[in-house]
């Protein structure tokens, strides 16, 4: 877990905007889900079908609302001295590999449907190993080939499962 | 109900049946260790293979796979923070922190013996208590299930959230996610964003893999190895650590018996099953512990609670299957299908007409668990080495396995995308101290809770009083209030103890 770094005098070294955005991102996601749910269903479904999800949504709104108020109150009462640009630079320095793997994950899911499971897995495995610091290409290729062969045999022949195929039929 | 042990043993101890158990347990273990490939999937795959077999051999084959798969789910849970099956979702909470602290072999040892002992004791309990437990299961109608689901969520949210509201938010967020699929009564679309993959049901397997395994990859890629241990100690790669784990389980008889009881009873409740039992057992273990704060940080008792109960469920789930003809879980539903396939009509008369076969099936669980102990012990020394691999090799491998695991359930790439999305959500939640377990439990329990709510409303013509009528619901409401009030109250009432800092 990351923790908010502080100066020795107790003042927090982050910017108000960064703390506000990062702490309220998940509550905002919850509230967005409630709003979208109501927007999609209100008037289209009978009330007896909506009782349960709306009850759940109302509970979520109340709890999230109370957390948001508490977070905002705490943030506004704290003196932050950092700048947003500096905070974003620190986030990049700390999490650049994680951001890289997040991008590669999205690319992987998109690639599988286009070029198939084996080719996309081969490319992504090499890319992640490189990102994680591996530079021995022979080892990277050997590990990838052996691993994918095992996975393919296990799933296709052992568990009778056909992963998505690309233009080459693999 | 007729328990005929002698003839049943005669029926069970044939070379064919023993060979089938010997082969099926390791197969189940391997399949269970693949994230996303559930015990139900494996048992379902074995269903066509049972056609040439007789009814009891068919069910013995499936029960042995089920036992193996239920333990197999613990292997990735211990080693890479990825529950192989939903039954191992609570195992990760303490087993993975143990691994990160250099106690992977001990965690694996605990999970092996806890699973085996849980399975063995529950199988004995099944033989002796099948009828009384079935009677308890009868007490749970739709209103009771709804309130039980609420209680489960509240208990987990309160116990896990350092901040109670955050724990409850995670759980209620999960309930709303589970209610995004089509309305169960009218099949009208709700919030599916135009994706057919969300129309029928919100798939919980990709969500579980996403929040636990994918979110963990964001942390793993920044470190050298999974284990923070030095890797030189006997705990990592020898049998010593595993035996330490065995000894620890033997030294905790109360914890084991409690988890067995929970697993057997929850397993007997139709629809609850393995996904719920391990969480309930973990929460009760935490609340009964003298050191509840250490749960979730690598307390071995947490691993015992989860692993013992999830293997006890295998026996418990057979209770409604055999006595009522109602499957206690997805896997027993497939087993029930196998019985039908072989011309055996499920229902209360099943035990009267096929008492010997039913007893042989229950006894087969005992043998399957002994095979599991031997096999798991032999291979654990080798699989534990996974934690010593550099993460630069491990991370891409885990990603590929999880993608295939998410895809496997419905052979649908949408599920793989959903898993990645929930990896991001899980990371966000972990960074801001929202516990993941209430979310996972809510996504699993959500459809059960909503169906129970809607049916109760139909039965009562829209009167909410139905949720307060029976003794069981009243007890559960009292427990809910107690869970909500106790933690804040106990914190406020805790006597002031001055810190001894010079």
């Amino acid at each position: 877990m990351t923790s908010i770094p502080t100066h020795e005098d107790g003042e927090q070294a982050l910017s108000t905007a960064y703390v506000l955005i990062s702490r309220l991102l998940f509550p905002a996601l919850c509230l967005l889900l409630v709003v979208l749910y109501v927007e999609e269903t209100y008037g289209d479904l009978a009330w007896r079908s909506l009782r349960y999800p709306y009850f759940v949504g109302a509970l979520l709104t109340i709890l999230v609302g109370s957390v948001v108020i508490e977070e905002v109150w705490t943030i506004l009462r704290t003196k932050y001295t950092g700048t947003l640009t500096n905070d974003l630079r620190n986030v990049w320095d700390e999490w650049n590999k994680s951001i890289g793997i997040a991008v590669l994950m999205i690319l992987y899911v998109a690639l599988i449907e286009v070029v198939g499971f084996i080719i996309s897995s081969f490319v992504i495995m090499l890319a992640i190993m490189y990102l994680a610091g591996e530079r021995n290409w022979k080892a990277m290729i050997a590990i990838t080939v052996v691993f994918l062969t095992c996975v393919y045999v296990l799933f296709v022949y052992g568990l009778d499962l056909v992963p998505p195929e690309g233009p080459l039929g693999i | 109900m007729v328990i005929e042990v002698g003839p049943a043993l005669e029926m069970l101890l044939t070379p064919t049946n023993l060979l089938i158990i010997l082969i099926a347990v390791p197969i189940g273990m391997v399949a269970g260790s693949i994230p996303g490939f559930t015990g139900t999937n494996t048992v379902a795959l074995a269903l066509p293979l049972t056609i040439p077999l007789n009814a009891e051999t068919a069910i013995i084959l499936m029960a042995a796979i089920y036992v193996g798969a239920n333990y197999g789910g613990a292997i990735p849970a211990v080693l890479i923070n990825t529950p192989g099956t939903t039954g191992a979702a609570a195992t990760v909470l303490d087993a993975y922190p143990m691994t990160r602290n250099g106690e992977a072999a001990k965690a694996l040892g605990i999970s092996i013996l806890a699973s085996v002992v849980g399975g063995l004791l529950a199988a004995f309990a099944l033989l002796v208590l099948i009828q009384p437990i079935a009677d308890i299961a009868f007490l749970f109608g739709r209103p009771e299930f709804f309130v039980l689901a609420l209680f489960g969520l509240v208990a987990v949210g309160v116990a896990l959230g350092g901040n109670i509201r955050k724990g409850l938010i995670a759980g209620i967020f999960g309930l709303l996610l589970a209610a995004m699929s089509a309305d169960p009564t009218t099949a009208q679309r709700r919030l599916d964003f135009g994706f057919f993959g969300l129309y029928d049901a919100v798939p919980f397997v990709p969500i579980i893999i996403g929040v636990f395994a994918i979110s963990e990859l964001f942390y793993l890629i920044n470190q050298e190895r999974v284990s923070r241990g030095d890797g030189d100690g006997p705990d990592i790669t020898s049998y010593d650590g595993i035996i330490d784990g065995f000894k620890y389980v033997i030294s905790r008889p109360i914890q084991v018996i409690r988890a067995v009881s929970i697993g057997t009873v929850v397993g007997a409740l139709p629809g609850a099953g393995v996904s719920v039992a391990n969480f309930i057992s973990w929460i009760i273990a935490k609340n009964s512990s003298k050191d509840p704060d250490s749960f979730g940080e690598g307390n071995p008792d947490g691993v015992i609670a989860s692993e013992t109960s999830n293997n006890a469920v295998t026996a418990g789930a057979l209770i409604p299957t055999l006595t009522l003809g109602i499957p206690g879980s997805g896997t027993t539903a497939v087993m029930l299908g196998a019985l039908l396939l072989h011309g055996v009509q499920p229902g209360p008369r099943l035990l009267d007409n096929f008492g010997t076969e039913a007893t042989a099936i229950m006894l087969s669980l005992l043998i399957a668990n002994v095979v599991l102990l031997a096999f798991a012990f032999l291979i654990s020394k080798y699989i534990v080495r996974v934690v010593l691999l550099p993460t630069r090799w491990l991370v891409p491998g885990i990603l590929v396995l999880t993608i295939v695991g998410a895809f496997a359930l419905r052979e649908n790439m949408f599920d793989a995308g959903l898993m990645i999305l929930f990896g991001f959500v899980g990371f966000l939640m972990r960074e801001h101290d929202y516990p993941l377990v209430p979310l996972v439990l809510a996504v699993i329990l959500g459809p059960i809770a909503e169906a129970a709510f809607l049916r109760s409303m139909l039965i009562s013509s829209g009167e909410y009083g139905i949720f307060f009528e029976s003794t069981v619901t009243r007890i559960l409401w009292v427990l809910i209030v107690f869970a909500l009030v106790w933690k804040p109250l106990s914190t406020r009432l805790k006597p002031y103890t001055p810190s001894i800092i010079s």
Side-chain angles (χ1 to χ4, degrees), chain B residues 463-477:
Chain B
E463 288 296 324
Y464 293 100
I466 193 168
F467 297 114
F468 303 91
E469 276 174 7
S470 73
T471 312
V472 174
T473 53
R474 284 180 197 148
I475 292 170
L476 287 169
W477 281 117

Side-chain angles (χ1 to χ4, degrees), chain B residues 359-374:
Chain B
T359 313
I361 292 165
M362 292 185 252
L363 288 172
S364 73
L365 292 176
L366 296 174
I367 296 177
N369 275 290
V370 174
V371 173
L372 172 66
L373 176 64

Side-chain angles (χ1 to χ4, degrees), chain B residues 432-481:
Chain B
H432 296 286
D433 298 326
Y434 288 89
L436 302 178
V437 177
L439 167 69
V440 167
L441 186 61
V443 175
I444 294 169
L445 278 179
I448 300 171
E450 186 175 12
F453 176 85
L454 290 170
R455 283 195 190 173
S456 305
M457 287 285 99
L458 276 175
I459 294 165
S460 69
S461 308
E463 288 296 324
Y464 293 100
I466 193 168
F467 297 114
F468 303 91
E469 276 174 7
S470 73
T471 312
V472 174
T473 53
R474 284 180 197 148
I475 292 170
L476 287 169
W477 281 117
V478 169
L479 289 174
I480 288 173
V481 173

Side-chain angles (χ1 to χ4, degrees), chain A residues 1-3 22-23 25-27 29-30 33-34 36-37 40-41 44-57 59-60 63-64 66-67 70-71 94-99 101-106 108-110 112-113 117 121 124-126 128-129 131-135 139 143 147-148 151 154-155 158-164, chain B residues 30-31 34 37 42 45 146 150 163 165-166 168-170 172-173 175-177 179-181 183 185-186 188-193 214 217-219 221-222 224 391-393 395-401 403-405 407-409 411 413-414 416-417 420 424-425 427-434 445-447 449-450 453-454 457 462-464:
Chain A
M1 291 263 178
T2 51
S3 55
S22 68
R23 284 198 195 167
L25 206 53
F26 183 67
L29 181 71
C30 293
L33 188 71
V34 175
L36 287 174
Y37 201 102
E40 279 290 308
T41 53
D44 290 343
L45 279 89
W47 171 241
R48 65 175 177 278
S49 297
L50 292 174
R51 269 187 300 206
Y52 171 82
Y54 278 19
F55 172 69
V56 171
L59 267 182
L60 188 59
L63 284 166
V64 168
S66 72
V67 167
E70 189 182 297
E71 294 277 26
E94 190 182 354
W95 295 104
N96 56 40
K97 283 184 182 175
S98 307
I99 294 167
I101 198 176
V103 173
L104 286 174
M105 282 174 185
I106 296 167
Y108 185 25
V109 173
I112 288 178
E113 301 216 75
F117 171 72
S121 300
I124 293 295
M125 280 188 75
L126 290 180
I128 295 175
M129 280 191 216
L131 173 77
E134 181 62 72
R135 292 294 180 269
I143 290 165
F147 182 79
L148 286 179
V151 168
L154 177 68
F155 279 89
L159 301 173
D160 200 22
L161 190 84
V162 184
Chain B
V30 172
I34 300 168
F37 207 82
T42 323
L45 265 179
F146 176 69
L150 284 188
N163 177 332
R165 277 175 300 169
K166 286 190 173 179
L168 292 175
I169 285 172
I172 297 169
F173 177 58
L175 281 184
L176 195 60
L177 285 173
M180 283 166 61
S181 57
D183 180 70
T185 50
T186 62
Q188 281 179 280
R189 288 176 58 187
R190 295 193 286 193
L191 187 63
D192 59 14
F193 297 104
I214 298 294
L217 294 185
F218 298 129
Y219 296 99
I221 198 160
N222 291 304
E224 266 298 300
T391 50
R392 59 184 186 276
W393 298 354
V395 168
I398 295 171
L399 178 64
V400 171
L401 269 184
I403 286 278
V404 181
F407 172 82
L409 195 68
E411 301 204 14
M413 274 310 291
F414 171 80
I420 300 293
F424 300 148
V425 173
F427 177 75
L428 193 62
M429 291 175 71
R430 288 169 74 165
E431 278 296 296
H432 296 286
D433 298 326
Y434 288 89
L445 278 179
E450 186 175 12
F453 176 85
L454 290 170
M457 287 285 99
E463 288 296 324
Y464 293 100

